[in-house]
Amino acid sequence: MGKKGRFKLKTLKTQGIILKGFNYSDYDQILTILTKDLGKIKVMARGVRRSKSKIRGGSQVFSLVQLELYKGTSFYRMIQTNCVKSFIEIRENYDKLLAASEWAEVLDKVLIEEEKDEEIFKLALSGFTYIAYKETEKTLRVFEAKLLHHMGVLAKETKCNICENEDIIYYTERGDCLCSNCVKVKTDQFLDKGALKILCFFIRENLEDIERLKISPKILLSIGKFIQNQINN
């Protein structure tokens, strides 16, 4: 084809957090990346598994990277990537690795592809940062709660929507908060008064104030099970 028939691919530059990847062929991978400007996307990384690949260093899971892409038929295609922050602390600590894996899985599960939301991108990045450097269990629950609240799944209320009782609260499929007296069908989507107040504190308050709060493992476990039920439903 002559010079007149050539065309230049339209490339896109953005920052992204690599949530996960799976092998597509002997040398390629498909990466799920949460980007600042495009939302969650699938990216084909050609040749990334080759030992001398130029994009290998900037394609590690949980890393914050600077990307150059173009949009293909089925996937975005990676042209270039540079690592901005590797979060090596996560990969060197088993508990942090588990927490980061769960945070990435939650983000992947609840976010729709190609739906830009810079606040969620900032929240996701803060989550990985706090997991890398702070207490893992509490940090994970805080960011899961803030994410679900941002998406309209969890409210800040600690009272029944009907009678304002603050006893045991059930969350309905519509996201209503109802006490044990007002709810018609009891499910496993409930929290007692103490756990509910902690969950709402997670949603309302800033990270510095939450960090100073001492919370029992039992309450964290209760909140964790509740949040997982919300995500899975």
Side-chain angles (χ1 to χ4, degrees):
M1 184 182 290
K3 291 184 179 180
K4 291 183 179 180
R6 293 177 182 174
F7 64 93
K8 187 176 181 180
L9 290 171
K10 183 180 179 181
T11 61
L12 306 161
K13 293 183 179 180
T14 186
Q15 277 197 337
I17 306 161
I18 301 176
L19 302 181
K20 67 178 184 180
F22 67 89
N23 297 337
Y24 184 74
S25 65
D26 288 343
Y27 299 108
D28 305 336
Q29 280 190 330
I30 295 175
L31 305 175
T32 301
I33 305 178
L34 177 60
T35 69
K36 183 177 180 180
D37 301 298
L38 303 167
K40 186 183 76 171
I41 59 174
K42 292 283 196 302
V43 178
M44 172 68 75
R46 291 283 189 193
V48 70
R49 299 178 65 204
R50 295 181 186 274
S51 59
K52 295 183 179 180
S53 171
K54 293 182 179 179
I55 61 173
R56 186 181 180 94
S59 302
Q60 299 296 311
V61 174
F62 311 140
S63 296
L64 173 67
V65 296
Q66 186 68 39
L67 297 159
E68 185 174 1
L69 312 163
Y70 73 89
K71 192 167 186 179
T73 305
S74 302
F75 306 101
Y76 284 86
R77 307 277 177 161
M78 184 179 288
I79 300 171
Q80 187 175 347
T81 176
N82 295 303
C83 182
V84 177
K85 183 69 176 175
S86 67
F87 294 118
I88 188 66
E89 297 83 2
I90 290 175
R91 286 187 285 277
E92 291 179 341
N93 181 289
Y94 183 69
D95 289 337
K96 293 182 183 297
L97 184 61
L98 288 180
S101 298
E102 183 176 331
W103 181 226
E105 183 180 353
V106 167
L107 290 164
D108 185 37
K109 186 174 288 187
V110 304
L111 299 181
I112 299 170
E113 286 195 20
E114 297 194 56
E115 199 168 271
K116 176 183 175 180
D117 189 324
E118 287 193 30
E119 288 305 310
I120 284 183
F121 178 80
K122 291 176 184 177
L123 188 66
L125 181 57
S126 292
F128 285 112
T129 302
Y130 264 71
I131 288 169
Y133 302 114
K134 304 290 183 180
E135 178 187 342
T136 55
E137 177 72 11
K138 183 170 70 177
T139 294
L140 182 58
R141 302 307 163 220
V142 168
F143 281 97
E144 287 173 342
K146 287 185 180 296
L147 174 65
L148 294 183
H149 172 67
H150 181 82
M151 299 184 71
V153 177
L154 293 180
K156 296 180 182 179
E157 290 83 3
T158 61
K159 298 179 180 180
C160 175
N161 292 156
I162 296 176
C163 71
E164 297 191 348
N165 184 7
E166 291 188 346
D167 192 8
I168 293 176
I169 295 293
Y170 290 82
Y171 273 77
T172 69
E173 291 182 357
R174 297 189 309 168
D176 296 326
C177 304
L178 300 176
C179 71
S180 54
N181 295 323
C182 295
V183 69
K184 293 180 180 179
V185 181
K186 291 182 171 63
T187 68
D188 58 356
Q189 297 290 84
F190 72 91
L191 285 173
D192 62 30
K193 183 177 179 180
L196 182 65
K197 285 194 171 182
I198 293 296
L199 178 63
C200 293
F201 187 82
F202 284 173
I203 293 170
R204 274 195 321 266
E205 304 301 328
N206 61 55
L207 295 169
E208 290 75 18
D209 290 338
I210 295 170
E211 190 177 345
R212 291 192 289 268
L213 186 67
K214 299 295 182 183
I215 304 169
S216 74
K218 183 179 179 180
I219 287 181
L220 280 177
L221 180 62
S222 175
I223 290 173
K225 287 181 177 179
F226 175 77
I227 286 175
Q228 284 303 314
N229 282 333
Q230 292 291 323
I231 292 167
N232 292 332
N233 290 339

